[in-house]
Amino acid sequence: MADSVPVRCPTCRRENAFTPPTFPCACGAPLTLPVLRGGVPVEIVHRTWQGSWVAVQCDTCGRQDEWPAPESGCVCGTVVRIPVVPVPAPPPAVRRAHGPRPPAPVPVAAAPPAVLRPAFRPVTIRTARDCVTAAAQYLKWLGFTDVRRTQERTASGLDLRGSGVVAQVDPTTRSTALREIECVWLNGLNDSAVAVFFSLAGYARDARSRADDLHLPLFVMDLTGTPQPVNDPADELIRHGAAGR
């Protein structure tokens, strides 16, 4: 568990203890939001979507993702947003002072344009059923409009089906295993459909590697109900949606 830090309320000046939240990174490691020591908390007067998220880099894998901004409430009714350590900026490009100019890049075929869609509205996760609901909403947002929950989880483990897509959702607190990845892929192969996996706790290393080999999109979910892509196939699915499959 992360150590608590003191947070002084800007309204009543009362000092409150705050414990930074911990989320599961896509690599499976726990990621505790790095609260900025000595940072000045800011009272939340008007909420915005952009202001509710912060960029944080995982110390284990180096991946940078957006996470819910840490907030703390005081007994006087004031709610503040607590600053986190900024993500380090990438180093500036080194300019070539001498030597021949690099060759011009070889033209390549243009990639299909990314699909424009409205912002995804997450489903807060409190139960395992909420995980499945959030995954279904996300697939519909990607363009699989007729996604439906299976009546009962079949022996194959599928939770969601739709035209051209099948999906499995792992709401447990353990990393998703290799066998589950291969099962959902086989189901997609049998149905001539895109197979997608959603996990709450991330993926075992061999499961992640196998999904990359099979070009199977992996997503990890946080308790806000917003799936985050784990691998390149997931990024591709987000860019092009159902139309690109």
Side-chain angles (χ1 to χ4, degrees), residues 1 4 10 16 40 61 69 74 107 119 124 130 150 154 188 207 228 230:
M1 181 180 294
S4 62
N16 302 294
V40 179
C61 68
C74 181
T124 303
D130 290 338
T150 56
T154 61
Q228 299 289 338
V230 172

Side-chain angles (χ1 to χ4, degrees), residues 3 22-23 64 75 96 108 120 137 165 177-178 185 196 201 216 242:
D3 295 333
T22 299
F23 301 101
Q64 179 179 324
V75 294
R96 292 174 61 92
V108 296
F120 174 67
Q137 292 298 104
V165 67
L178 170 64
W185 176 77
V196 186
L216 189 150

Side-chain angles (χ1 to χ4, degrees), residues 119-167:
F120 174 67
R121 295 189 176 185
V123 177
T124 303
I125 294 176
R126 298 183 178 86
T127 66
R129 187 177 181 85
D130 290 338
C131 287
V132 179
T133 300
Q137 292 298 104
Y138 195 75
L139 289 175
K140 291 178 181 179
W141 179 73
L142 290 174
F144 300 99
T145 54
D146 64 345
V147 168
R148 63 193 181 282
R149 187 193 303 263
T150 56
Q151 293 299 320
E152 292 184 4
R153 195 178 225 212
T154 61
S156 63
L158 289 182
D159 293 291
L160 299 166
R161 284 184 181 273
S163 297
V165 67
V166 295

Side-chain angles (χ1 to χ4, degrees), residues 1-5 18-22 31-35 37:
M1 181 180 294
D3 295 333
S4 62
V5 295
F18 173 76
T19 302
T22 299
L31 184 149
T32 300
L33 298 190
V35 172
R37 298 281 179 171

